Amino acid sequence: MLELSLRFSTVSRTVPLILSVRPTRALVDEKFKVWVENLPPGSPVTLHSLHCSEDKDFWEAYGHYISDHRGTVSVAEDLSFGGTYTGKEPMGLLWSMRPVPGSRPGLRLRKLDVCIPMVVHVSVYGGHVAEGFREKAPLASVLTERWYMAPGVQRIDIREKGVQGTLFIPSGPGPFPGLLDMWGVGGGLLEYRSALLASHGYASLALDYLTSGEVKSADVGFNYFEAAFNTVKDHPQVIPDKVGIFGLSLGSTVTFCLAAESNVVKPCCCVCVSGNHCLGQGVALRELHQVLVKYLHKARVDENNHHIWREMGLAIIKDYSKKADVGKINCPVLLINGHDDQNWPTVEFSEDIALMMRAKGKEHLLTRVDYPGAGHLIEPPYSPHVRATKFVMDSVKMIMLWGGQPKPHSDAQEDAWRKILTFLQLHLYS
């Protein structure tokens, strides 16, 4: 890892101010330390982070600090008295990032090209600044790199047996445990979680199975997901009997269906984030769309015209008859949900899942983790929280309310990721 310090000498000071970030190059789930030295004791300063996304949108976070008797500020040890986060928050300059004022509405920060880092400028300003950072000259700045893909990880395009996606192979001789990684209704090929999982030693296939938001026309059958699982299992760099499935939202729904209903797929373990078991045997994605349309009248919009689907999901739980028979699952399952999920009643679905597994004597295979204050989009740690973002469903554009509050949601992402890696280590490496 690299360390970079940029020194700035003012006219009024003979000792140069030092802003340090360590490490300046790291994986996105690694913590960094930020501190300032050689300030006058008791000086108010603002620590600020700025990132320009691949969509050319600017995201920022900042905290207000006062230097101690030594003229030092440590983000890891000192309290922020204001800004986008308050209190002692070592990673607040990342998880509390938000679009700068005047940005387009409904933005979500997602890494598109994992072969290049997320670049973040960390700066220190004199005084407690709350706006207009880009028009002000900082006292000092440091450039940091946050990576999803560790050195040596291989990225391989997959276009075989009808399966499309990207396979990430960890650095080293192998073979490795494998994972089939699936995202949700937003659709498209998202690689950043798979790249990060490969950086932790898992050969992970980011699966492309849904055109963005087009569930109605999704021509994806059960055999496609079975073929995708076997693509991972049969790869020469993968241990064939150590393959799991990781899904978020609709990807979690597919995960439950595969683990419960497939005669071909035998996962070693499953991680399900913000999911449900509404996809039963023989139910295609476009048929699931028909279910959503049937109950769409239960959805509502809030005072900001943000779409809330939670009540629609509650209606589906009560009388939907085509759920996956999760009592057939024969592998450990880690189920992670947020209590403030406004998109889907995932906590209620997890209770139904637990009841079904208990009835078949399988509840010992289920580990449930629920987070108060967390929303639907529980992502890798230090990812900025977004409560509502742009969403497309069958070519209809809207702003979807995902839920969650910044601080508890961020805490949930950090704790959940730690639990996920421990779970995978236990069941795929032990």
Side-chain angles (χ1 to χ4, degrees), residues 48 63 69 106 147-148 175 195-196 248 275 282 284 291 303 324 328 364 373-374 403 408:
H48 178 261
H69 66 282
W147 289 83
Y148 283 92
L196 188 56
L248 179 140
V291 175
E303 65 278 6
K328 296 179 181 177
H364 66 284

Side-chain angles (χ1 to χ4, degrees), residues 110-115 148-149 155-159 165-168 181 183 188-198 204-207:
R110 311 183 89 171
K111 195 75 183 75
L112 303 178
D113 184 354
V114 297
C115 296
Y148 283 92
M149 195 162 72
R155 180 187 177 277
I156 305 169
D157 288 326
I158 298 296
R159 300 290 186 274
T166 306
L167 180 64
F168 292 88
D181 183 22
W183 288 85
L189 178 58
L190 296 172
E191 299 179 351
Y192 58 92
R193 188 171 64 198
S194 281
L196 188 56
L197 288 166
S204 184
L205 173 62
L207 185 63

Side-chain angles (χ1 to χ4, degrees), residues 326-396:
V326 294
K328 296 179 181 177
I329 292 177
N330 290 309
C331 69
V333 177
L334 176 60
L335 182 53
I336 294 171
N337 298 300
H339 274 279
D340 191 38
D341 190 334
Q342 298 300 311
N343 175 252
W344 208 250
T346 52
V347 172
E348 288 82 356
F349 268 102
S350 73
E351 292 171 353
D352 191 54
I353 289 166
L355 286 173
M356 293 177 68
M357 294 185 71
R358 184 182 306 137
K360 296 292 182 67
K362 301 291 185 64
E363 193 180 21
H364 66 284
L365 295 173
L366 180 65
T367 301
R368 298 166 60 195
V369 184
D370 298 336
Y371 292 102
H376 188 77
L377 301 178
I378 300 176
E379 298 212 66
Y382 319 128
S383 302
H385 167 260
V386 283
R387 185 169 174 82
T389 70
K390 293 178 182 177
F391 185 76
V392 179
M393 182 72 171
D394 298 327
S395 301
V396 178

Side-chain angles (χ1 to χ4, degrees), residues 110-374:
R110 311 183 89 171
K111 195 75 183 75
L112 303 178
D113 184 354
V114 297
C115 296
I116 60 175
M118 175 183 174
V119 176
V120 180
H121 294 264
V122 178
S123 303
V124 57
Y125 293 83
H128 286 167
V129 184
E131 60 184 2
F133 289 96
R134 295 172 64 191
E135 288 76 45
K136 294 179 173 64
L139 301 178
S141 294
V142 171
L143 185 69
T144 70
E145 295 182 357
R146 310 289 294 177
W147 289 83
Y148 283 92
M149 195 162 72
V153 170
Q154 300 177 60
R155 180 187 177 277
I156 305 169
D157 288 326
I158 298 296
R159 300 290 186 274
E160 58 185 56
K161 300 178 181 178
V163 175
Q164 299 186 66
T166 306
L167 180 64
F168 292 88
I169 304 293
S171 175
F176 307 96
L179 285 167
L180 174 62
D181 183 22
M182 295 177 288
W183 288 85
V185 175
L189 178 58
L190 296 172
E191 299 179 351
Y192 58 92
R193 188 171 64 198
S194 281
L196 188 56
L197 288 166
S199 300
H200 285 279
Y202 302 94
S204 184
L205 173 62
L207 185 63
D208 188 0
Y209 69 98
L210 185 65
T211 302
S212 182
E214 297 296 326
V215 183
K216 181 178 181 180
S217 59
D219 188 20
V220 182
F222 200 59
N223 59 343
Y224 179 79
F225 300 105
E226 292 178 328
F229 183 89
N230 287 332
T231 297
V232 180
K233 181 176 70 71
D234 296 339
H235 194 277
Q237 284 289 87
V238 173
I239 305 170
D241 61 347
K242 291 291 184 180
V243 180
I245 311 177
F246 194 139
L248 179 140
S249 194
L250 179 60
S252 186
T253 307
V254 175
T255 299
F256 275 118
C257 184
L258 287 172
E261 308 287 2
S262 176
N263 295 320
V264 176
V265 171
K266 304 297 180 185
C268 196
C269 64
C270 296
V271 176
C272 298
V273 181
S274 302
N276 60 73
H277 52 316
C278 282
L279 195 65
Q281 186 175 25
V283 179
L285 292 184
R286 59 177 176 269
E287 294 177 56
L288 186 59
H289 175 270
Q290 296 170 5
V291 175
L292 295 177
V293 171
K294 176 181 177 181
Y295 293 95
L296 194 59
H297 66 282
K298 294 289 186 179
R300 63 184 180 88
V301 295
D302 65 9
E303 65 278 6
N304 299 310
N305 203 35
H306 296 163
H307 288 247
I308 302 172
W309 284 8
R310 177 177 165 77
E311 285 77 8
M312 179 170 66
L314 288 172
I316 292 174
I317 291 178
K318 293 178 181 178
D319 62 2
Y320 184 56
S321 61
K322 295 183 179 180
K323 295 180 289 190
D325 186 359
V326 294
K328 296 179 181 177
I329 292 177
N330 290 309
C331 69
V333 177
L334 176 60
L335 182 53
I336 294 171
N337 298 300
H339 274 279
D340 191 38
D341 190 334
Q342 298 300 311
N343 175 252
W344 208 250
T346 52
V347 172
E348 288 82 356
F349 268 102
S350 73
E351 292 171 353
D352 191 54
I353 289 166
L355 286 173
M356 293 177 68
M357 294 185 71
R358 184 182 306 137
K360 296 292 182 67
K362 301 291 185 64
E363 193 180 21
H364 66 284
L365 295 173
L366 180 65
T367 301
R368 298 166 60 195
V369 184
D370 298 336
Y371 292 102

Side-chain angles (χ1 to χ4, degrees), residues 72-115:
T72 299
V73 169
S74 170
V75 173
E77 299 174 359
D78 297 334
L79 299 175
S80 168
F81 296 98
T84 56
Y85 63 96
T86 58
K88 188 185 295 186
E89 293 293 340
M91 301 302 291
L93 288 170
L94 291 182
W95 66 253
S96 73
M97 274 189 166
R98 63 189 186 188
V100 300
S103 297
R104 298 176 295 148
L107 294 178
R108 181 177 177 185
L109 185 57
R110 311 183 89 171
K111 195 75 183 75
L112 303 178
D113 184 354
V114 297
C115 296

